[in-house]
Amino acid sequence: MGNLFYLLGVLLAGYTGYSGFDWYYIFISSLIMTVGFFIVRSSQIQGIISNDGVFALPKLLIIQIVIYSIITTPIFFIGALFS
């Protein structure tokens, strides 16, 4: 199920770039990929929250969105080149 969100995030980044949408769709695609990451790593995230507290979840969310934006940014701009 998590891999489906990864694929959906990549496809959304390419489609929004191809369709000429604004640049902030890069972060929306990264957020969708982060949901896939949380699904795949749900047991590990539960352990992180139990050890570090509830504030570890927003920190992990922001870090993963930034990391996945490194993946979706080139896909967005390659799609924009083909439009």
Side-chain angles (χ1 to χ4, degrees):
M1 187 71 187
N3 292 331
L4 181 66
F5 281 99
Y6 287 147
L7 181 63
L8 185 64
V10 168
L11 290 176
L12 181 67
Y15 175 74
T16 55
Y18 181 75
S19 298
F21 291 143
D22 291 329
W23 60 270
Y24 55 83
Y25 281 96
I26 293 170
F27 295 111
I28 295 171
S29 300
S30 300
L31 178 66
I32 292 172
M33 292 180 73
T34 302
V35 170
F37 174 80
F38 282 164
I39 290 172
V40 170
R41 308 272 192 262
S42 61
S43 61
Q44 294 173 352
I45 292 172
Q46 180 183 6
I48 290 170
I49 291 173
S50 66
N51 289 337
D52 297 337
V54 73
F55 290 114
L57 188 63
K59 183 175 84 171
L60 185 62
L61 179 71
I62 291 170
I63 290 170
Q64 289 303 317
I65 288 173
V66 169
I67 289 173
Y68 283 127
S69 69
I70 295 170
I71 297 170
T72 57
T73 299
I75 296 170
F76 179 85
F77 286 114
I78 289 171
L81 287 175
F82 288 114
S83 66

